[in-house]
Amino acid sequence: MVEIHHFKSINDAHGHAVGDQIIIAMGRVCTDILYPPTVLFRIGGDEFVVVFQCDSLDEMLATAHRLRKAFSTETRLIGGGAVTATLSIGAALCPGRGIPRTELLAQADNALYIAKQSGRNRVVHAPWDERPAPAQHIPLADRTAHQA
């Protein structure tokens, strides 16, 4: 799970054309850093799900950090240098057995929540836990209703 920080503020301060460029930069950075068969979904104005294959926890975390750093560098070129855009990433690694996608996504979403609460512009890993993720914030399914 990936979130662009303060995306609404960027749109408000610099206009939607700049906000659109930030979204395009997210896609461009993912294309540059991640390799097929990567899947990228935009699930909200500032939130994305990125799914990619990796061989280890270290590889997943290194890739997430590269994505975060590359996005920050890429977005410095937008809006004449006036835009500062960063990411928080909640990372979850599927341990290779039949885990429902919704549970894996919930683990990543909880890690994203922790990343944002602990200062933003960081990667937090959610170790796989067989128990359901605790409800610490608004569930994904209800989030769009609360953003209005």
Side-chain angles (χ1 to χ4, degrees):
M1 296 282 300
V2 179
E3 182 176 307
I4 300 171
H5 300 143
H6 310 295
F7 183 67
K8 182 180 180 332
S9 296
I10 291 170
N11 273 334
D12 291 348
H14 302 284
H16 289 275
V18 170
D20 291 347
Q21 290 301 309
I22 297 291
I23 298 298
I24 291 167
M26 179 64 186
R28 188 171 38 247
V29 166
C30 284
T31 299
D32 290 348
I33 297 228
L34 303 169
Y35 45 87
T38 296
V39 179
L40 171 67
F41 298 95
R42 184 176 179 195
I43 60 170
D46 60 357
E47 288 188 331
F48 299 82
V49 173
V50 181
V51 180
F52 63 95
Q53 293 179 347
C54 59
D55 293 327
S56 68
L57 174 62
D58 289 341
E59 180 185 356
M60 178 188 68
L61 293 175
T63 301
H65 282 290
R66 279 196 335 269
L67 180 66
R68 184 184 58 78
K69 290 175 186 174
F71 178 81
S72 178
T73 300
E74 178 83 13
T75 57
R76 283 189 198 127
L77 306 174
I78 297 171
V83 177
T84 302
T86 58
L87 301 175
S88 283
I89 299 175
L93 181 67
C94 179
R97 54 188 195 272
I99 296 169
R101 287 180 218 140
T102 55
E103 289 181 31
L104 190 62
L105 187 59
Q107 293 290 329
D109 191 46
N110 280 336
L112 174 62
Y113 180 77
I114 293 166
K116 293 185 317 184
Q117 293 300 311
S118 61
R120 299 185 187 256
N121 195 25
R122 63 191 64 224
V123 174
V124 172
H125 168 244
W128 177 248
D129 187 350
E130 295 291 337
R131 295 167 293 157
Q136 296 177 342
H137 61 290
I138 300 169
L140 286 173
D142 298 336
R143 192 168 295 161
T144 53
H146 289 78
Q147 289 180 347

